[in-house]
Amino acid sequence: MALVTSEKMLLDAQNGGYAVGAFNVENMEMVKAVIAAAEELNAPVMLQTTPSTVKYGSLETFAAIVTAEAKKASVPVALHLDHGSSFELAVRAIKEGYTSIMIDGSHETFENNIKVSKKVVEVAKPNGIPVEAELGKVGGKEDDLEAEADTNTDPMEAKEFVEKTGITSLAVAIGTAHGFYNGTPVLDKERLSEIKKVVSIPLVLHGASGLSDDDVRDCVKRGICKVNFATELRVAYTDGIKELLNEKPDTFDPKNLGKAGMEKVKELVKNRILVCGSDNKVIK
């Protein structure tokens, strides 16, 4: 089927008490692996690219790849700009066919975050494209941006932010971090529950790579409707290739390397879909 936007996908998740898995992809092989996993489990799915990924491969190339694969898919697929770093990049992504946009103004002041997020909404809404924004700072490193410390989302600021920007989903900071964790993460789940009480739009959890399955499930129960997975997919893809080269060091065909990476990514994505509870949620 054709690419869909993330808006209905996330509202269905909100109403159904599950979360949609959103997976960062770096190449054609990862795109195919994520969609194959979603098809096997009959799950809606979001594929994401960060600014560094589109700098490497271009918005046009990723839009073309995902559009082509989505047309063959039996489940809904959305293409999302993850951590959009500027208004200009967000607009370019919309023009190139992305069906979901994140503008990340979380490193700005509260007022400037509102300003840039609202500006993106004003362009995206007439085109039917939903917009995610982030309030608070998720720790760790995402692309070229690094947060030295977590600043968790304030519930009343979240309410004001949503009302003033018109965004359709909100990424919250509750103690998660991008990349893998040093030690066991401590999540402020009560804060998540408080945000859910005052914010009606779907909530998003970033930095899920390395969280326990129980933590992810608990966050979903408390209102998370979209869960982002990135770092662990990269590791899985690379591990697949390393294992093949360890067993068959003379392997030189890129197709064989790609297949080895794809299989690892597909199995990981299937696990994450089950944890999010989005399996068998596509009505045919």
Side-chain angles (χ1 to χ4, degrees):
M1 59 180 69
L3 280 173
V4 301
T5 75
S6 59
E7 187 165 15
K8 182 178 184 300
M9 196 180 282
L10 296 186
L11 289 174
D12 286 347
Q14 186 178 52
N15 293 330
Y18 61 92
V20 174
F23 302 96
N24 286 60
V25 292
E26 310 291 339
N27 54 25
M28 179 193 74
E29 287 79 10
M30 293 178 77
V31 170
K32 286 178 171 286
V34 171
I35 293 177
E39 287 190 298
E40 286 191 19
L41 294 180
N42 193 36
V45 71
M46 294 177 65
L47 279 68
Q48 309 187 142
T49 59
T50 62
S52 68
T53 300
V54 298
K55 183 179 180 181
Y56 173 74
S58 85
L59 290 166
E60 299 89 337
T61 297
F62 279 101
I65 292 172
V66 177
T67 297
E69 294 301 318
K71 285 180 180 178
K72 300 182 288 184
S74 59
V75 296
V77 178
L79 175 58
H80 181 75
L81 176 66
D82 187 28
H83 286 281
S85 53
S86 68
F87 170 78
E88 292 75 17
L89 180 62
V91 171
R92 284 177 50 216
I94 293 170
K95 289 181 178 179
E96 293 301 334
Y98 277 60
T99 57
S100 184
I101 298 292
M102 179 191 181
I103 178 66
D104 185 0
S106 63
H107 295 270
E108 302 285 343
T109 64
F110 181 65
E111 292 74 18
N112 286 344
N113 194 353
I114 289 175
K115 185 177 180 180
V116 69
S117 299
K118 183 177 180 181
K119 190 177 179 182
V120 172
V121 169
E122 289 172 347
V123 173
K125 189 172 182 180
N127 291 282
I129 304 299
V131 176
E132 172 188 334
E134 183 174 317
L135 186 62
K137 292 181 174 65
V138 176
K141 191 174 190 300
E142 178 71 28
D143 264 12
D144 298 324
L145 299 174
E146 186 166 2
E148 294 181 0
D150 296 332
T151 304
N152 288 351
T153 306
D154 178 86
M156 295 316 296
E157 281 192 350
K159 182 177 186 294
E160 179 183 353
F161 186 83
V162 169
E163 291 171 350
K164 288 186 175 180
T165 59
I167 57 170
T168 52
S169 60
L170 177 68
V172 296
I174 58 168
T176 54
H178 296 117
F180 285 131
Y181 293 90
N182 295 318
T184 303
V186 179
L187 305 185
D188 191 347
K189 297 177 185 177
E190 290 304 318
R191 184 179 295 257
L192 173 58
S193 296
E194 291 302 312
I195 295 170
K196 179 67 173 66
K197 290 177 183 177
V198 296
V199 173
S200 61
I201 63 173
L203 302 177
V204 180
L205 184 69
H206 284 230
S209 289
L211 289 184
S212 71
D213 292 353
D214 287 342
D215 274 340
V216 173
R217 292 189 185 101
D218 195 14
C219 287
V220 172
K221 287 180 181 178
R222 292 172 184 264
I224 290 295
C225 303
K226 172 179 177 267
V227 182
N228 286 18
F229 301 96
T231 303
E232 60 186 9
L233 271 75
R234 297 169 184 162
V235 172
Y237 185 81
T238 305
D239 283 349
I241 293 174
K242 287 178 179 178
E243 288 179 13
L244 174 60
L245 291 175
N246 185 55
E247 295 171 5
K248 300 179 179 179
D250 293 333
T251 300
F252 62 87
D253 190 336
K255 293 188 291 296
N256 292 331
L257 298 175
K259 289 176 183 176
M262 286 168 63
E263 190 58 35
K264 287 287 187 179
V265 171
K266 186 176 79 168
E267 290 307 309
L268 174 66
V269 171
K270 286 172 64 177
N271 173 271
R272 298 302 179 252
I273 286 172
L274 291 171
V275 171
C276 288
S278 57
D279 53 303
N280 293 315
K281 294 299 188 295
V282 178
I283 301 175
K284 299 178 181 180

Coordinates of all heavy atoms in Angstrom, one line a residue, residues 105-147:
G105 N 13.2 21.2 18.7 CA 13.6 22.5 19.3 C 13.9 22.4 20.7 O 14.0 23.4 21.4
S106 N 14.2 21.1 21.2 CA 14.3 20.9 22.7 C 15.6 21.5 23.2 O 15.8 21.7 24.4 CB 14.3 19.4 23.0 OG 15.4 18.7 22.4
H107 N 16.6 21.8 22.3 CA 17.8 22.5 22.7 C 17.7 24.0 22.8 O 18.6 24.7 23.1 CB 19.0 22.0 21.8 CG 19.3 20.6 21.9 ND1 20.2 20.0 22.8 CD2 18.8 19.5 21.3 CE1 20.2 18.7 22.7 NE2 19.4 18.4 21.8
E108 N 16.5 24.5 22.3 CA 16.2 25.9 22.4 C 15.6 26.3 23.7 O 15.2 25.4 24.5 CB 15.3 26.3 21.2 CG 15.8 26.0 19.8 CD 16.9 26.9 19.4 OE1 17.1 28.0 20.0 OE2 17.6 26.6 18.4
T109 N 15.4 27.6 23.9 CA 14.6 28.0 25.1 C 13.1 27.5 24.9 O 12.7 27.2 23.7 CB 14.6 29.5 25.2 OG1 13.9 30.1 24.1 CG2 16.0 30.0 25.4
F110 N 12.4 27.5 25.9 CA 10.9 27.1 25.8 C 10.2 27.9 24.8 O 9.5 27.4 23.9 CB 10.3 27.2 27.2 CG 8.8 26.8 27.3 CD1 8.5 25.5 27.1 CD2 7.9 27.8 27.5 CE1 7.1 25.1 27.1 CE2 6.5 27.4 27.6 CZ 6.2 26.1 27.4
E111 N 10.4 29.2 24.8 CA 9.7 30.1 23.9 C 10.2 29.9 22.4 O 9.3 29.8 21.5 CB 10.0 31.6 24.3 CG 9.4 32.0 25.6 CD 10.1 31.5 26.8 OE1 11.3 31.1 26.6 OE2 9.5 31.5 27.9
N112 N 11.5 29.7 22.2 CA 11.9 29.4 20.8 C 11.5 28.0 20.3 O 11.3 27.9 19.1 CB 13.4 29.6 20.8 CG 13.9 31.0 20.8 OD1 13.1 31.9 20.6 ND2 15.2 31.2 21.1
N113 N 11.4 27.1 21.2 CA 10.9 25.8 20.9 C 9.5 25.9 20.4 O 9.1 25.3 19.4 CB 11.0 24.8 22.1 CG 10.8 23.4 21.7 OD1 10.5 23.0 20.6 ND2 11.0 22.5 22.7
I114 N 8.7 26.6 21.1 CA 7.3 26.9 20.7 C 7.3 27.5 19.3 O 6.5 27.1 18.4 CB 6.5 27.7 21.7 CG1 6.3 27.0 23.0 CG2 5.2 28.3 21.1 CD1 5.6 27.8 24.1
K115 N 8.1 28.5 19.1 CA 8.1 29.3 17.9 C 8.4 28.4 16.7 O 7.7 28.4 15.7 CB 9.1 30.4 18.0 CG 9.1 31.4 16.8 CD 10.1 32.5 17.1 CE 10.2 33.5 15.9 NZ 11.1 34.6 16.1
V116 N 9.5 27.6 16.7 CA 9.9 26.8 15.6 C 9.0 25.7 15.4 O 8.6 25.3 14.2 CB 11.4 26.3 15.7 CG1 11.5 25.3 16.8 CG2 11.9 25.8 14.4
S117 N 8.4 25.1 16.4 CA 7.5 24.0 16.3 C 6.2 24.5 15.6 O 5.7 23.8 14.7 CB 7.2 23.3 17.7 OG 8.4 22.8 18.2
K118 N 5.7 25.6 16.1 CA 4.5 26.2 15.5 C 4.7 26.5 14.0 O 3.8 26.3 13.2 CB 4.1 27.4 16.3 CG 2.8 28.0 15.8 CD 2.4 29.2 16.7 CE 1.1 29.8 16.2 NZ 0.7 31.0 17.0
K119 N 5.8 27.0 13.7 CA 6.2 27.4 12.3 C 6.1 26.1 11.4 O 5.6 26.2 10.3 CB 7.5 28.0 12.3 CG 7.9 28.7 10.9 CD 9.2 29.4 11.0 CE 9.6 30.0 9.7 NZ 11.0 30.6 9.7
V120 N 6.7 25.0 11.9 CA 6.6 23.8 11.1 C 5.2 23.3 11.0 O 4.8 22.8 9.9 CB 7.5 22.7 11.7 CG1 7.3 21.3 11.0 CG2 9.0 23.1 11.7
V121 N 4.4 23.3 12.0 CA 3.0 22.9 12.0 C 2.2 23.7 10.9 O 1.4 23.2 10.2 CB 2.3 23.1 13.4 CG1 0.8 22.9 13.3 CG2 2.9 22.1 14.4
E122 N 2.5 25.0 10.9 CA 1.8 25.9 9.9 C 2.0 25.5 8.5 O 1.2 25.7 7.6 CB 2.2 27.3 10.2 CG 1.6 27.9 11.5 CD 2.2 29.3 11.8 OE1 3.2 29.7 11.2 OE2 1.6 29.9 12.7
V123 N 3.2 24.9 8.2 CA 3.5 24.5 6.9 C 3.0 23.0 6.6 O 2.5 22.7 5.6 CB 5.1 24.5 6.6 CG1 5.4 23.8 5.3 CG2 5.6 25.9 6.6
A124 N 3.2 22.2 7.6 CA 2.8 20.8 7.5 C 1.3 20.5 7.5 O 0.8 19.7 6.7 CB 3.4 20.0 8.6
K125 N 0.6 21.2 8.3 CA -0.9 21.0 8.4 C -1.7 21.1 7.1 O -2.5 20.2 6.8 CB -1.5 21.9 9.5 CG -2.9 21.5 9.9 CD -3.4 22.3 11.1 CE -4.8 21.9 11.5 NZ -5.3 22.7 12.6
P126 N -1.4 22.2 6.3 CA -2.2 22.2 5.0 C -1.9 21.1 4.1 O -2.6 20.8 3.2 CB -1.7 23.6 4.5 CG -1.3 24.4 5.6 CD -0.6 23.4 6.6
N127 N -0.7 20.4 4.3 CA -0.3 19.3 3.5 C -0.7 18.0 4.1 O -0.4 16.9 3.5 CB 1.2 19.3 3.3 CG 1.7 20.5 2.4 OD1 1.6 20.4 1.2 ND2 2.2 21.5 3.0
G128 N -1.4 18.0 5.2 CA -1.9 16.8 5.9 C -0.8 16.0 6.6 O -1.0 14.8 6.8
I129 N 0.3 16.7 6.9 CA 1.4 16.0 7.5 C 1.5 16.3 9.0 O 1.5 17.4 9.4 CB 2.8 16.4 6.9 CG1 2.7 16.2 5.4 CG2 3.9 15.7 7.5 CD1 2.5 14.7 4.9
P130 N 1.5 15.2 9.8 CA 1.5 15.4 11.3 C 2.9 15.8 11.8 O 3.9 15.5 11.1 CB 1.1 14.0 11.8 CG 1.5 13.1 10.8 CD 1.3 13.8 9.5
V131 N 3.0 16.5 12.9 CA 4.2 17.0 13.4 C 4.5 16.5 14.9 O 3.6 16.7 15.7 CB 4.3 18.5 13.3 CG1 5.6 19.0 14.0 CG2 4.2 19.0 11.9
E132 N 5.6 16.0 15.1 CA 6.1 15.6 16.5 C 7.1 16.7 16.9 O 7.9 17.2 16.1 CB 6.7 14.3 16.5 CG 7.4 13.8 17.8 CD 8.2 12.5 17.6 OE1 7.8 11.7 16.8 OE2 9.2 12.4 18.4
A133 N 7.1 17.0 18.2 CA 8.1 17.9 18.7 C 8.5 17.3 20.1 O 7.9 16.4 20.6 CB 7.5 19.3 18.9
E134 N 9.6 17.9 20.6 CA 10.1 17.4 21.9 C 10.2 18.5 22.9 O 10.7 19.6 22.6 CB 11.5 16.8 21.6 CG 12.1 16.1 22.9 CD 13.5 15.4 22.6 OE1 13.5 14.7 21.6 OE2 14.4 15.6 23.4
L135 N 9.9 18.2 24.1 CA 10.0 19.1 25.2 C 10.7 18.5 26.4 O 10.4 17.4 26.8 CB 8.6 19.6 25.7 CG 8.5 20.7 26.8 CD1 9.1 22.0 26.2 CD2 7.1 20.9 27.2
G136 N 11.7 19.2 26.9 CA 12.7 18.6 27.8 C 13.8 18.1 27.0 O 13.8 18.1 25.8
K137 N 14.8 17.6 27.6 CA 16.0 17.1 26.9 C 16.3 15.6 27.3 O 16.4 15.3 28.4 CB 17.3 17.9 27.3 CG 17.2 19.4 26.7 CD 18.5 20.1 27.1 CE 18.5 21.5 26.5 NZ 17.4 22.4 27.0
V138 N 16.2 14.8 26.2 CA 16.6 13.4 26.4 C 18.1 13.3 26.4 O 18.8 13.9 25.5 CB 16.0 12.5 25.2 CG1 16.4 11.1 25.4 CG2 14.5 12.6 25.3
G139 N 18.7 12.6 27.3 CA 20.1 12.5 27.5 C 20.8 11.8 26.4 O 20.2 11.2 25.5
G140 N 22.1 11.7 26.4 CA 22.9 11.0 25.4 C 23.2 11.7 24.2 O 22.9 12.9 24.1
K141 N 23.6 11.0 23.1 CA 23.9 11.6 21.9 C 23.0 11.2 20.8 O 22.7 10.0 20.6 CB 25.4 11.3 21.5 CG 26.0 12.1 20.3 CD 27.4 11.8 20.1 CE 28.1 12.7 19.2 NZ 27.5 12.7 17.8
E142 N 22.5 12.1 20.0 CA 21.6 11.9 18.9 C 22.2 12.7 17.7 O 22.1 13.9 17.7 CB 20.2 12.2 19.1 CG 19.2 12.0 17.9 CD 19.0 10.5 17.6 OE1 19.1 9.7 18.6 OE2 18.7 10.2 16.5
D143 N 22.7 12.0 16.7 CA 23.4 12.7 15.6 C 24.5 13.6 16.2 O 25.3 13.1 16.9 CB 22.3 13.5 14.8 CG 21.8 12.8 13.6 OD1 22.1 11.6 13.5 OD2 21.2 13.4 12.7
D144 N 24.5 14.9 15.8 CA 25.6 15.7 16.3 C 25.2 16.5 17.6 O 26.0 17.3 18.0 CB 25.9 16.8 15.2 CG 26.4 16.1 13.9 OD1 27.1 15.1 14.0 OD2 26.1 16.6 12.8
L145 N 24.1 16.2 18.1 CA 23.6 16.9 19.3 C 23.8 16.0 20.5 O 23.5 14.8 20.5 CB 22.1 17.3 19.2 CG 21.8 18.3 18.1 CD1 20.3 18.5 18.0 CD2 22.5 19.6 18.3
E146 N 24.3 16.6 21.6 CA 24.6 15.8 22.8 C 24.1 16.5 24.0 O 24.4 17.7 24.2 CB 26.1 15.4 23.0 CG 26.4 14.5 24.1 CD 27.8 13.9 24.1 OE1 28.5 14.3 23.1 OE2 28.1 13.1 24.9
A147 N 23.3 15.9 24.8 CA 22.8 16.5 26.1 C 23.7 15.9 27.2 O 23.8 14.7 27.4 CB 21.3 16.1 26.3

